[in-house]
Amino acid sequence: NFGADVYLMKGTHKFPLITKTQSNAGAWTIYGYNAQIPNVVGLSNIDTTMKFTNRSSLDTNIYFTLIDPDGTVATLDSVNNPSIASLPANSTGKYVASDLLALVTDPAFDKTGSISVEVSIPTTPSSVYGMASFKNKTLGQFKDLPVYNSGMSY
């Protein structure tokens, strides 16, 4: 289990086709379902709801990467944040943008406009289904947002 985003090698290491000496081996990513959701808003009058269904036979956690318009990144997950529900097998989890943004403590993170959200769920990718929509609470209107999966389709 590697907790780092980037694995730095020391010394010389041989991979099947290349040899690297004291260099960055690359970023580790979570195997499983990965999605990108643009134009997520978590304001008092407009809020985004995201739902993910885990149709696998395994319980799993969920990981969110929130990115503001300036590129400031905040990471949240169901492992370290008890208020974020994990995804038990054969269940659907509901996640509201304003609730997630309330957990972001970085003062540099801009919560006043739309953000981008990356979601990672470490289970069989084809067993996860996701949707997102934002709702104008004042007018009662909503709009579905695209949820791009790992293949950049939705």
Side-chain angles (χ1 to χ4, degrees), residues 10 21 28 40 58-59 63 92 94 108 120 122 128 144:
K10 300 290 185 187
T21 303
W28 294 92
V40 172
L58 302 173
D59 296 344
Y63 299 82
T92 298
K94 177 181 173 182
S120 297
V128 176
D144 288 333

Side-chain angles (χ1 to χ4, degrees), residues 3 5 30 60-66 74-87 95 100 103-104 118-122:
D5 292 326
I30 295 174
T60 186
N61 288 301
I62 188 166
Y63 299 82
F64 293 96
T65 301
L66 311 178
T75 56
L76 302 169
D77 59 66
S78 59
V79 176
N80 298 307
N81 301 91
S83 61
I84 299 175
S86 60
L87 278 173
Y95 307 92
L100 294 175
L103 298 172
V104 176
E118 295 177 356
V119 180
S120 297
I121 303 171

Side-chain angles (χ1 to χ4, degrees), residues 9 12-21 23-25:
M9 299 184 310
T12 301
H13 297 273
K14 293 189 178 192
F15 295 95
L17 300 175
I18 58 172
T19 299
K20 293 228 175 211
T21 303
S23 62
N24 189 333

Side-chain angles (χ1 to χ4, degrees), residues 23-141:
S23 62
N24 189 333
W28 294 92
T29 58
I30 295 174
Y31 166 78
Y33 175 86
N34 293 293
Q36 299 80 30
I37 308 168
N39 202 31
V40 172
V41 180
L43 302 173
S44 61
N45 60 335
I46 299 175
D47 211 351
T48 302
T49 298
M50 297 166 277
K51 291 183 181 179
F52 294 94
T53 300
N54 175 10
R55 295 291 298 148
S56 76
S57 60
L58 302 173
D59 296 344
T60 186
N61 288 301
I62 188 166
Y63 299 82
F64 293 96
T65 301
L66 311 178
I67 307 162
D68 77 2
D70 296 329
T72 303
V73 174
T75 56
L76 302 169
D77 59 66
S78 59
V79 176
N80 298 307
N81 301 91
S83 61
I84 299 175
S86 60
L87 278 173
N90 294 308
S91 69
T92 298
K94 177 181 173 182
Y95 307 92
V96 180
S98 59
D99 294 343
L100 294 175
L101 287 169
L103 298 172
V104 176
T105 57
D106 184 353
F109 194 91
D110 183 2
K111 303 177 187 181
T112 61
S114 67
I115 62 167
S116 297
V117 175
E118 295 177 356
V119 180
S120 297
I121 303 171
T123 190
T124 307
S126 60
S127 297
V128 176
Y129 303 89
M131 64 79 62
S133 63
F134 66 79
K135 181 177 182 178
N136 183 323
K137 296 177 184 180
T138 307
L139 302 176
Q141 298 172 333

